[in-house]
Structures are given as structure tokens and as C-alpha cells.
Amino acid sequence: GGIITQTPKFLIGQEGQKLTLKCQQNFNHDTMYWYRQDSGKGLRLIYYSITENDLQKGDLSEGYDASREKKSSFSLTVTSAQKNEMAVFLCASSISYEQYFGPGTRLTVL
Amino acid sequence: GDKVKQSPSALSLQEGTNSALRCNFSIAATTVQWFLQNPRGSLMNLFYLVPGTKENGRLKSAFDSKESYSTLHIRDAQLEDSGTYFCAADADTNAYKVIFGKGTHLHVLP
């Protein structure tokens, strides 16, 4: 078994601020993902990484940067937080495409 | 239109009854994943399917790639089955990029 941890659990930012979310997994999975979930909606892919130092854009990558510093960790940066933005950011990892999710980071922008 | 369409969008069930959720695809999916997001927001992996069926306890899922749909059957529904069920299918040419449906909100009533 393994676990995915996301930090912080709650993130409150100001408009225009640069914000970083972190994800760690100990499954030893090669691939990691960042998704955004807006209230009552499905998940949309922001970035994914097939292996260490790899980065691939998803459908929602504009306004975000990502970094895969090592196999176990994948960071997401909101480059300029938008006023009144509220969403949950979910990290996942996979082996053979079957995805496992972390608990999420809930973002609120004032 | 939606590439992954889930139905129904919401459902209420009496405890102990059975139901089926459905996912229709307008993409040439080769794999399907089903997830349950509980009321606290955690996403749990239920099934990862290639064409065929899988069963786990009171849950059974089928995926027909030729007819482009998948189903999730819940038998003897329990209160803890409440939450939002998502299906996700791999995008046409990239198995890493899965597309999520908008979910089925299930409420099991005592």
C-alpha cells in the first residue's frame, strides 16, 4: 500500500499572489497528475508528469506552472491567483494508468 | 458536447435496493476508471477496466468499448455508498490523459 499527501489542506491567497501546492506519494509510481475540481463539477487535468523531470500540459495549464523535482513529489504553482477563485486541487499518481488520489488542497482567493 | 457523459446526474435510493449508473463515451476509449468521491471530498478508486466486467463485493462494473459505454451496478445499497460517482475514460491517443464525466450524485436513504 501507499499514501498520497497534499500540503497545505487549505490555502487562502490574495488576488495576484503566486501560490504553490505540494504533493508527495510513496507508492513509487512513475506518473503524477494535478487536477482542478470546481464545486459540483468533474475534474480537469492541469499538468501531468510521466517520470522525474518530465512535464506535460493538460487541458487547463494556462495560469499554472508545475515541477517534478523527484519521483515522489510533484508541485503546482498558481502563477497569479484570480479574485474570488475557489476550487479544490487534486493530486494523483498512477502505475499502468490506474490513478490514486490525494485528499486535495482547497483554495480560496480573497 | 461532453466526451464522457454520465447518467443520471443525481439519484436517491432506499437502503437495500439496487441501481445502475451509466457512462457513455463519444471518444474511442480503451480503458475506464470508476471513482467514488465521499462527502468529505476524498476520491477512492473503485474499478479500472479494459473491455469486460469486474466485481468487488456489492459493486459490479462493465465496459463495452464497441458500444462506447460503461455501467456501475450497486447491489443492496448502504448509507456509506452515498457520494458522487465519477467515471473517466482515456483520451483517444493518450492513455495518460483521462477525461472525467461530471458525476452522478447518489444519496442513499435510510
Side-chain angles (χ1 to χ4, degrees):
Chain A
I3 192 167
I4 299 177
T5 54
Q6 292 188 237
T7 54
K9 280 188 180 176
F10 299 95
L11 182 56
I12 299 176
Q14 302 289 329
E15 185 182 10
Q17 197 176 357
K18 188 173 173 180
L19 302 166
T20 298
L21 293 71
K22 293 187 182 295
C23 178
Q24 297 265 348
Q25 53 99 1
N26 64 1
F27 285 104
N28 200 34
H29 286 166
D30 287 317
T31 309
M32 295 185 75
Y33 309 78
W34 276 107
Y35 291 91
R36 175 183 167 125
Q37 184 178 28
D38 291 278
S39 181
K41 295 187 180 175
L43 281 69
R44 291 182 289 172
L45 182 64
I46 306 172
Y47 270 98
Y48 66 104
S49 167
I50 296 171
T51 188
E52 187 177 336
N53 294 320
D54 175 71
L55 277 180
Q56 306 284 339
K57 290 184 178 181
D59 297 327
L60 204 66
S61 60
E62 191 170 333
Y64 302 94
D65 286 327
S67 174
R68 182 87 182 272
E69 309 89 356
K70 49 185 179 178
K71 189 175 183 179
S72 62
S73 69
F74 193 28
S75 300
L76 180 73
T77 298
V78 180
T79 55
S80 179
Q82 301 298 303
K83 189 175 173 64
N84 297 324
E85 183 175 5
M86 275 180 65
V88 175
F89 291 84
L90 291 158
C91 174
S93 69
S94 75
I95 191 161
S96 299
Y97 314 119
E98 185 172 1
Q99 297 189 26
Y100 295 86
F101 281 83
T105 291
R106 188 172 295 273
L107 171 67
T108 303
V109 181
L110 303 175
Chain B
D2 293 344
K3 293 180 179 180
V4 176
K5 200 159 188 175
Q6 289 190 243
S7 60
S9 57
L11 181 62
S12 290
L13 283 179
Q14 285 298 132
E15 199 174 7
T17 59
N18 306 332
S19 189
L21 312 181
R22 189 173 171 108
C23 218
N24 288 313
F25 313 115
S26 61
I27 52 176
T30 59
T31 64
V32 173
Q33 299 184 57
W34 282 93
F35 301 90
L36 168 60
Q37 189 168 40
N38 67 23
R40 287 193 311 278
S42 296
L43 259 169
M44 293 174 284
N45 187 308
L46 298 176
F47 292 105
Y48 175 79
L49 291 157
V50 294
T53 60
K54 276 191 179 178
E55 194 163 353
N56 184 3
R58 295 180 294 101
L59 300 180
K60 183 176 178 179
S61 185
F63 172 35
D64 186 331
S65 58
K66 289 180 184 170
E67 299 296 324
S68 299
Y69 75 93
S70 177
T71 55
L72 177 68
H73 292 263
I74 303 171
R75 177 174 52 82
D76 185 24
Q78 301 296 304
L79 297 177
E80 62 265 27
D81 296 332
S82 294
T84 304
Y85 289 80
F86 290 101
C87 66
D90 57 330
D92 296 278
T93 57
N94 184 342
Y96 292 107
K97 290 178 74 171
V98 297
I99 300 174
F100 280 77
K102 291 182 178 167
T104 293
H105 302 277
L106 176 67
H107 186 196
V108 180
L109 303 165

PDB file of all heavy atoms in Angstrom, chain A residues 46-67:
ATOM      1  N   ILE A  46      -4.670  19.588 -15.259  1.00  0.00           N
ATOM      2  CA  ILE A  46      -3.853  20.790 -15.387  1.00  0.00           C
ATOM      3  C   ILE A  46      -2.482  20.429 -15.969  1.00  0.00           C
ATOM      4  O   ILE A  46      -2.069  20.944 -17.009  1.00  0.00           O
ATOM      5  CB  ILE A  46      -3.663  21.485 -14.019  1.00  0.00           C
ATOM      6  CG1 ILE A  46      -5.016  21.763 -13.364  1.00  0.00           C
ATOM      7  CG2 ILE A  46      -2.885  22.790 -14.193  1.00  0.00           C
ATOM      8  CD1 ILE A  46      -4.897  22.276 -11.930  1.00  0.00           C
ATOM      9  N   TYR A  47      -1.763  19.554 -15.279  1.00  0.00           N
ATOM     10  CA  TYR A  47      -0.454  19.062 -15.711  1.00  0.00           C
ATOM     11  C   TYR A  47      -0.324  17.601 -15.306  1.00  0.00           C
ATOM     12  O   TYR A  47      -0.954  17.162 -14.352  1.00  0.00           O
ATOM     13  CB  TYR A  47       0.684  19.827 -15.015  1.00  0.00           C
ATOM     14  CG  TYR A  47       1.182  21.057 -15.729  1.00  0.00           C
ATOM     15  CD1 TYR A  47       0.721  22.316 -15.365  1.00  0.00           C
ATOM     16  CD2 TYR A  47       2.123  20.961 -16.752  1.00  0.00           C
ATOM     17  CE1 TYR A  47       1.185  23.449 -16.019  1.00  0.00           C
ATOM     18  CE2 TYR A  47       2.587  22.097 -17.402  1.00  0.00           C
ATOM     19  CZ  TYR A  47       2.108  23.341 -17.033  1.00  0.00           C
ATOM     20  OH  TYR A  47       2.565  24.472 -17.675  1.00  0.00           O
ATOM     21  N   TYR A  48       0.508  16.879 -16.039  1.00  0.00           N
ATOM     22  CA  TYR A  48       0.916  15.564 -15.584  1.00  0.00           C
ATOM     23  C   TYR A  48       2.385  15.352 -15.903  1.00  0.00           C
ATOM     24  O   TYR A  48       2.978  16.104 -16.696  1.00  0.00           O
ATOM     25  CB  TYR A  48       0.027  14.456 -16.155  1.00  0.00           C
ATOM     26  CG  TYR A  48       0.092  14.243 -17.644  1.00  0.00           C
ATOM     27  CD1 TYR A  48       0.789  13.170 -18.185  1.00  0.00           C
ATOM     28  CD2 TYR A  48      -0.596  15.094 -18.511  1.00  0.00           C
ATOM     29  CE1 TYR A  48       0.817  12.954 -19.557  1.00  0.00           C
ATOM     30  CE2 TYR A  48      -0.566  14.887 -19.875  1.00  0.00           C
ATOM     31  CZ  TYR A  48       0.128  13.817 -20.395  1.00  0.00           C
ATOM     32  OH  TYR A  48       0.152  13.612 -21.753  1.00  0.00           O
ATOM     33  N   SER A  49       2.951  14.336 -15.256  1.00  0.00           N
ATOM     34  CA  SER A  49       4.380  14.074 -15.399  1.00  0.00           C
ATOM     35  C   SER A  49       4.579  12.569 -15.464  1.00  0.00           C
ATOM     36  O   SER A  49       4.203  11.847 -14.541  1.00  0.00           O
ATOM     37  CB  SER A  49       5.126  14.657 -14.200  1.00  0.00           C
ATOM     38  OG  SER A  49       6.443  14.172 -14.147  1.00  0.00           O
ATOM     39  N   ILE A  50       5.149  12.094 -16.562  1.00  0.00           N
ATOM     40  CA  ILE A  50       5.280  10.653 -16.778  1.00  0.00           C
ATOM     41  C   ILE A  50       6.426  10.077 -15.957  1.00  0.00           C
ATOM     42  O   ILE A  50       6.387   8.920 -15.538  1.00  0.00           O
ATOM     43  CB  ILE A  50       5.451  10.354 -18.278  1.00  0.00           C
ATOM     44  CG1 ILE A  50       4.185  10.775 -19.038  1.00  0.00           C
ATOM     45  CG2 ILE A  50       5.741   8.879 -18.523  1.00  0.00           C
ATOM     46  CD1 ILE A  50       4.346  10.722 -20.544  1.00  0.00           C
ATOM     47  N   THR A  51       7.453  10.892 -15.744  1.00  0.00           N
ATOM     48  CA  THR A  51       8.583  10.443 -14.948  1.00  0.00           C
ATOM     49  C   THR A  51       9.282  11.667 -14.374  1.00  0.00           C
ATOM     50  O   THR A  51       8.945  12.804 -14.733  1.00  0.00           O
ATOM     51  CB  THR A  51       9.535   9.592 -15.800  1.00  0.00           C
ATOM     52  OG1 THR A  51      10.542   9.014 -14.952  1.00  0.00           O
ATOM     53  CG2 THR A  51      10.202  10.419 -16.875  1.00  0.00           C
ATOM     54  N   GLU A  52      10.267  11.440 -13.503  1.00  0.00           N
ATOM     55  CA  GLU A  52      11.004  12.549 -12.902  1.00  0.00           C
ATOM     56  C   GLU A  52      11.520  13.494 -13.982  1.00  0.00           C
ATOM     57  O   GLU A  52      12.014  13.051 -15.016  1.00  0.00           O
ATOM     58  CB  GLU A  52      12.181  11.962 -12.121  1.00  0.00           C
ATOM     59  CG  GLU A  52      12.952  12.956 -11.293  1.00  0.00           C
ATOM     60  CD  GLU A  52      14.058  12.265 -10.510  1.00  0.00           C
ATOM     61  OE1 GLU A  52      13.939  11.060 -10.252  1.00  0.00           O
ATOM     62  OE2 GLU A  52      15.031  12.947 -10.166  1.00  0.00           O
ATOM     63  N   ASN A  53      11.339  14.799 -13.745  1.00  0.00           N
ATOM     64  CA  ASN A  53      11.772  15.877 -14.647  1.00  0.00           C
ATOM     65  C   ASN A  53      10.963  15.998 -15.934  1.00  0.00           C
ATOM     66  O   ASN A  53      11.288  16.818 -16.794  1.00  0.00           O
ATOM     67  CB  ASN A  53      13.262  15.768 -14.987  1.00  0.00           C
ATOM     68  CG  ASN A  53      14.140  16.006 -13.776  1.00  0.00           C
ATOM     69  OD1 ASN A  53      13.859  16.877 -12.962  1.00  0.00           O
ATOM     70  ND2 ASN A  53      15.174  15.206 -13.636  1.00  0.00           N
ATOM     71  N   ASP A  54       9.934  15.181 -16.073  1.00  0.00           N
ATOM     72  CA  ASP A  54       9.047  15.314 -17.234  1.00  0.00           C
ATOM     73  C   ASP A  54       7.842  16.173 -16.872  1.00  0.00           C
ATOM     74  O   ASP A  54       7.360  16.129 -15.743  1.00  0.00           O
ATOM     75  CB  ASP A  54       8.554  13.928 -17.681  1.00  0.00           C
ATOM     76  CG  ASP A  54       7.540  14.015 -18.805  1.00  0.00           C
ATOM     77  OD1 ASP A  54       7.937  14.362 -19.929  1.00  0.00           O
ATOM     78  OD2 ASP A  54       6.331  13.751 -18.552  1.00  0.00           O
ATOM     79  N   LEU A  55       7.353  16.981 -17.830  1.00  0.00           N
ATOM     80  CA  LEU A  55       6.153  17.781 -17.622  1.00  0.00           C
ATOM     81  C   LEU A  55       5.325  17.780 -18.899  1.00  0.00           C
ATOM     82  O   LEU A  55       5.880  17.998 -19.984  1.00  0.00           O
ATOM     83  CB  LEU A  55       6.504  19.240 -17.308  1.00  0.00           C
ATOM     84  CG  LEU A  55       6.852  19.608 -15.884  1.00  0.00           C
ATOM     85  CD1 LEU A  55       7.153  21.095 -15.809  1.00  0.00           C
ATOM     86  CD2 LEU A  55       5.732  19.240 -14.927  1.00  0.00           C
ATOM     87  N   GLN A  56       4.022  17.544 -18.748  1.00  0.00           N
ATOM     88  CA  GLN A  56       3.126  17.553 -19.897  1.00  0.00           C
ATOM     89  C   GLN A  56       1.919  18.410 -19.545  1.00  0.00           C
ATOM     90  O   GLN A  56       1.373  18.291 -18.442  1.00  0.00           O
ATOM     91  CB  GLN A  56       2.636  16.122 -20.198  1.00  0.00           C
ATOM     92  CG  GLN A  56       3.733  15.095 -20.377  1.00  0.00           C
ATOM     93  CD  GLN A  56       4.417  15.200 -21.712  1.00  0.00           C
ATOM     94  OE1 GLN A  56       3.853  15.753 -22.654  1.00  0.00           O
ATOM     95  NE2 GLN A  56       5.630  14.672 -21.806  1.00  0.00           N
ATOM     96  N   LYS A  57       1.488  19.251 -20.491  1.00  0.00           N
ATOM     97  CA  LYS A  57       0.341  20.109 -20.226  1.00  0.00           C
ATOM     98  C   LYS A  57      -0.972  19.352 -20.390  1.00  0.00           C
ATOM     99  O   LYS A  57      -1.116  18.556 -21.321  1.00  0.00           O
ATOM    100  CB  LYS A  57       0.354  21.304 -21.184  1.00  0.00           C
ATOM    101  CG  LYS A  57       1.472  22.290 -20.906  1.00  0.00           C
ATOM    102  CD  LYS A  57       1.383  23.495 -21.813  1.00  0.00           C
ATOM    103  CE  LYS A  57       2.485  24.481 -21.466  1.00  0.00           C
ATOM    104  NZ  LYS A  57       2.431  25.691 -22.323  1.00  0.00           N
ATOM    105  N   GLY A  58      -1.907  19.663 -19.500  1.00  0.00           N
ATOM    106  CA  GLY A  58      -3.262  19.167 -19.647  1.00  0.00           C
ATOM    107  C   GLY A  58      -4.110  20.205 -20.346  1.00  0.00           C
ATOM    108  O   GLY A  58      -3.591  21.145 -20.959  1.00  0.00           O
ATOM    109  N   ASP A  59      -5.425  20.078 -20.207  1.00  0.00           N
ATOM    110  CA  ASP A  59      -6.337  20.995 -20.895  1.00  0.00           C
ATOM    111  C   ASP A  59      -6.436  22.358 -20.220  1.00  0.00           C
ATOM    112  O   ASP A  59      -6.932  23.314 -20.817  1.00  0.00           O
ATOM    113  CB  ASP A  59      -7.730  20.370 -20.973  1.00  0.00           C
ATOM    114  CG  ASP A  59      -7.718  19.096 -21.809  1.00  0.00           C
ATOM    115  OD1 ASP A  59      -6.927  19.042 -22.778  1.00  0.00           O
ATOM    116  OD2 ASP A  59      -8.466  18.161 -21.492  1.00  0.00           O
ATOM    117  N   LEU A  60      -5.967  22.439 -18.957  1.00  0.00           N
ATOM    118  CA  LEU A  60      -6.198  23.650 -18.166  1.00  0.00           C
ATOM    119  C   LEU A  60      -4.882  24.261 -17.679  1.00  0.00           C
ATOM    120  O   LEU A  60      -4.837  24.849 -16.619  1.00  0.00           O
ATOM    121  CB  LEU A  60      -7.077  23.273 -16.960  1.00  0.00           C
ATOM    122  CG  LEU A  60      -7.909  24.349 -16.295  1.00  0.00           C
ATOM    123  CD1 LEU A  60      -8.979  24.863 -17.231  1.00  0.00           C
ATOM    124  CD2 LEU A  60      -8.536  23.803 -15.024  1.00  0.00           C
ATOM    125  N   SER A  61      -3.806  24.139 -18.453  1.00  0.00           N
ATOM    126  CA  SER A  61      -2.489  24.520 -17.939  1.00  0.00           C
ATOM    127  C   SER A  61      -2.245  26.028 -17.886  1.00  0.00           C
ATOM    128  O   SER A  61      -1.356  26.485 -17.153  1.00  0.00           O
ATOM    129  CB  SER A  61      -1.399  23.859 -18.784  1.00  0.00           C
ATOM    130  OG  SER A  61      -1.520  24.289 -20.130  1.00  0.00           O
ATOM    131  N   GLU A  62      -3.019  26.821 -18.623  1.00  0.00           N
ATOM    132  CA  GLU A  62      -2.777  28.267 -18.628  1.00  0.00           C
ATOM    133  C   GLU A  62      -3.024  28.845 -17.247  1.00  0.00           C
ATOM    134  O   GLU A  62      -4.067  28.615 -16.631  1.00  0.00           O
ATOM    135  CB  GLU A  62      -3.689  28.948 -19.649  1.00  0.00           C
ATOM    136  CG  GLU A  62      -3.308  30.384 -19.897  1.00  0.00           C
ATOM    137  CD  GLU A  62      -4.040  31.003 -21.074  1.00  0.00           C
ATOM    138  OE1 GLU A  62      -4.435  30.250 -21.991  1.00  0.00           O
ATOM    139  OE2 GLU A  62      -4.221  32.218 -21.064  1.00  0.00           O
ATOM    140  N   GLY A  63      -2.037  29.608 -16.747  1.00  0.00           N
ATOM    141  CA  GLY A  63      -2.154  30.191 -15.415  1.00  0.00           C
ATOM    142  C   GLY A  63      -1.494  29.350 -14.333  1.00  0.00           C
ATOM    143  O   GLY A  63      -1.524  29.712 -13.159  1.00  0.00           O
ATOM    144  N   TYR A  64      -0.886  28.227 -14.752  1.00  0.00           N
ATOM    145  CA  TYR A  64      -0.238  27.328 -13.808  1.00  0.00           C
ATOM    146  C   TYR A  64       1.154  26.930 -14.303  1.00  0.00           C
ATOM    147  O   TYR A  64       1.391  26.876 -15.499  1.00  0.00           O
ATOM    148  CB  TYR A  64      -1.057  26.043 -13.629  1.00  0.00           C
ATOM    149  CG  TYR A  64      -2.464  26.256 -13.152  1.00  0.00           C
ATOM    150  CD1 TYR A  64      -3.513  26.345 -14.062  1.00  0.00           C
ATOM    151  CD2 TYR A  64      -2.747  26.393 -11.801  1.00  0.00           C
ATOM    152  CE1 TYR A  64      -4.813  26.560 -13.636  1.00  0.00           C
ATOM    153  CE2 TYR A  64      -4.038  26.594 -11.362  1.00  0.00           C
ATOM    154  CZ  TYR A  64      -5.068  26.678 -12.290  1.00  0.00           C
ATOM    155  OH  TYR A  64      -6.349  26.889 -11.855  1.00  0.00           O
ATOM    156  N   ASP A  65       2.046  26.651 -13.349  1.00  0.00           N
ATOM    157  CA  ASP A  65       3.324  26.012 -13.634  1.00  0.00           C
ATOM    158  C   ASP A  65       3.410  24.767 -12.765  1.00  0.00           C
ATOM    159  O   ASP A  65       2.733  24.673 -11.739  1.00  0.00           O
ATOM    160  CB  ASP A  65       4.520  26.924 -13.277  1.00  0.00           C
ATOM    161  CG  ASP A  65       4.683  28.053 -14.274  1.00  0.00           C
ATOM    162  OD1 ASP A  65       4.379  27.850 -15.464  1.00  0.00           O
ATOM    163  OD2 ASP A  65       5.110  29.151 -13.851  1.00  0.00           O
ATOM    164  N   ALA A  66       4.233  23.819 -13.179  1.00  0.00           N
ATOM    165  CA  ALA A  66       4.407  22.609 -12.373  1.00  0.00           C
ATOM    166  C   ALA A  66       5.874  22.229 -12.354  1.00  0.00           C
ATOM    167  O   ALA A  66       6.661  22.667 -13.209  1.00  0.00           O
ATOM    168  CB  ALA A  66       3.560  21.471 -12.932  1.00  0.00           C
ATOM    169  N   SER A  67       6.225  21.407 -11.367  1.00  0.00           N
ATOM    170  CA  SER A  67       7.613  20.975 -11.231  1.00  0.00           C
ATOM    171  C   SER A  67       7.655  19.572 -10.646  1.00  0.00           C
ATOM    172  O   SER A  67       7.051  19.313  -9.607  1.00  0.00           O
ATOM    173  CB  SER A  67       8.348  21.962 -10.318  1.00  0.00           C
ATOM    174  OG  SER A  67       9.645  21.513 -10.042  1.00  0.00           O
TER     175      SER A  67
END
